[in-house]
Amino acid sequence: CTCKSWSYLIGSSSFVSTHLHRNVTKHAHVCLLCLHHPNVRRQFNPDDPFVKQECQWSLFSSETFEECSKLTHPLRSTEHYGVYGSSNGLICISDEILNFDSPIYIWNPSVRKFRTPPMSPNSNIKFSYVDLQFGFHPGFNDYKAIRMMRTNKTAFTVEVYSLRTDSWKMIEAIPPWLKCTWQHHTGTFFNGVAYHIIEKGPIFSIMSFDSGSEEFQEFIAPDAICAPWGLCIDVYKGQICLLFMCFGCEEEGMDKVDLWVLQGKRWKQLCPFVFPFGYCDLLLGISIDNELIMGTKDFDKGVGNLYLC
């Protein structure tokens, strides 16, 4: 009798919503999802610097950085796979190199269950570029996967998958400013909206697509952003932000990363992240505690260091 009543309680939508809200607000059960070599470091052999080792995905504690659990593909596949977003414990995975017919899995490793979205009606069309993002839309209480595809003829296609309805929807209305030649860079997913850094000639801008209202918007990036290298988009204190690592800092022996947040339709520049020189080869983004995550790599020795600023 107890088992049945508990099962009914924890299966109700109100309990699920309350539980997720509690975890999000308290930052409970937060893990780092990492792709790494066994024993974290790649074995270095001076006689064979190109020694091959398989990589694996694992969950690490965000507080102690200790490994919590190893993740294996839900279908036990040994092929490498990519992670294209996570939200409330669900992880979206697909092929490491995306194709128009790449299978997608929405996976809950905690309970070892997954769902495979149906094939899209456009899976027989070949695209030269495919991008995939996944996250939760609080306004619709639904998990969404957004797939953006382009052909060599600059045709642009967007599809949205709904976990609740288990179906794909083609977005018909593509704005004119996207029907041109442009280059895609990094992106992020926040509150049901997919954000992408795009480059059109000498101009950098942010393209946003709301998976609920199905509306596109464009935000021109600050004038100081002049190159894709060292450029990152993420979320800082509940706002979309741009991070740009530029060389040169007013303080001797120091480096900096400039920071802007999107307020309405305008960018507001905040105080930069400042740190000792040589601590950042790669911008990784912002942590859930609003710390800058950056790293350095030694390709010869196979060692990488992670820093929080």
Side-chain angles (χ1 to χ4, degrees):
C1 294
T2 302
C3 193
K4 288 182 179 179
S5 63
W6 284 8
S7 177
Y8 175 79
L9 172 65
I10 67 177
S12 65
S13 59
S14 60
F15 180 90
V16 171
S17 298
T18 304
H19 177 67
L20 291 179
H21 178 73
R22 174 188 177 277
N23 285 346
V24 169
T25 53
K26 293 190 175 184
H27 294 177
H29 311 296
V30 176
C31 293
L32 295 174
L33 183 62
C34 303
L35 177 66
H36 63 95
H37 292 282
N39 301 320
V40 180
R41 294 188 176 188
R42 179 173 69 88
Q43 292 181 358
F44 177 67
N45 183 354
D47 298 324
D48 184 10
F50 301 104
V51 61
K52 292 184 178 180
Q53 265 189 298
E54 291 297 323
C55 292
Q56 66 184 44
W57 286 98
S58 297
L59 293 177
F60 288 77
S61 167
S62 63
E63 296 179 354
T64 65
F65 301 110
E66 295 292 327
E67 184 175 330
C68 300
S69 62
K70 292 181 173 64
L71 300 182
T72 56
H73 194 284
L75 295 181
R76 302 295 178 182
S77 171
T78 58
E79 296 293 326
H80 284 185
Y81 58 90
V83 173
Y84 296 94
S86 65
S87 182
N88 299 333
L90 298 185
I91 303 173
C92 179
I93 64 174
S94 187
D95 292 343
E96 191 173 28
I97 299 177
L98 287 174
N99 206 341
F100 61 94
D101 57 354
S102 294
I104 299 172
Y105 305 99
I106 298 175
W107 176 31
N108 187 335
S110 297
V111 296
R112 300 180 182 179
K113 292 183 179 181
F114 69 95
R115 179 178 291 184
T116 305
M119 292 295 291
S120 164
N122 298 297
S123 58
N124 59 343
I125 303 175
K126 292 187 177 182
F127 295 90
S128 61
Y129 165 81
V130 181
D131 181 79
L132 178 63
Q133 288 180 288
F134 171 81
F136 181 68
H137 198 307
F140 289 79
N141 194 29
D142 192 12
Y143 294 88
K144 305 275 190 175
I146 300 175
R147 183 160 52 189
M148 298 185 179
M149 300 164 287
R150 290 176 60 193
T151 66
N152 290 326
K153 298 180 180 179
T154 70
F156 184 60
T157 301
V158 177
E159 294 178 316
V160 178
Y161 170 76
S162 164
L163 185 64
R164 186 169 57 187
T165 63
D166 191 31
S167 62
W168 289 95
K169 180 179 180 180
M170 171 77 75
I171 305 303
E172 303 289 346
I174 304 296
W177 51 269
L178 279 175
K179 297 178 181 179
C180 62
T181 301
W182 49 270
Q183 187 176 356
H184 168 268
H185 297 293
T186 59
T188 191
F189 194 101
F190 179 59
N191 279 346
V193 182
Y195 296 88
H196 292 266
I197 299 175
I198 62 175
E199 181 180 0
K200 295 189 288 185
I203 299 176
F204 288 86
S205 63
I206 309 304
M207 171 190 67
S208 74
F209 173 74
D210 191 318
S211 61
S213 64
E214 301 175 359
E215 294 179 347
F216 292 87
Q217 289 193 75
E218 183 179 23
F219 308 96
I220 303 299
D223 294 337
I225 295 176
C226 55
W229 189 86
L231 179 59
C232 179
I233 184 170
D234 213 317
V235 179
Y236 179 74
K237 294 185 177 180
Q239 296 173 299
I240 288 295
C241 73
L242 284 176
L243 300 162
F244 187 54
M245 183 169 59
C246 57
F247 294 98
C249 182
E250 293 78 8
E251 299 182 46
E252 185 177 353
M254 305 294 283
D255 261 343
K256 71 171 182 177
V257 171
D258 285 322
L259 170 67
W260 294 265
V261 294
L262 184 62
Q263 296 184 342
K265 294 187 177 183
R266 295 186 176 184
W267 296 100
K268 179 181 180 181
Q269 188 167 12
L270 304 182
C271 291
F273 291 96
V274 179
F275 46 88
F277 181 81
Y279 276 75
C280 184
D281 295 334
L282 180 66
L283 282 179
L284 299 177
I286 300 290
S287 74
I288 196 169
D289 294 315
N290 298 306
E291 296 174 312
L292 175 65
I293 308 174
M294 52 192 184
T296 59
K297 290 184 178 181
D298 187 330
F299 289 101
D300 292 332
K301 295 183 180 180
V303 178
N305 293 315
L306 188 69
Y307 299 99
L308 298 177
C309 180

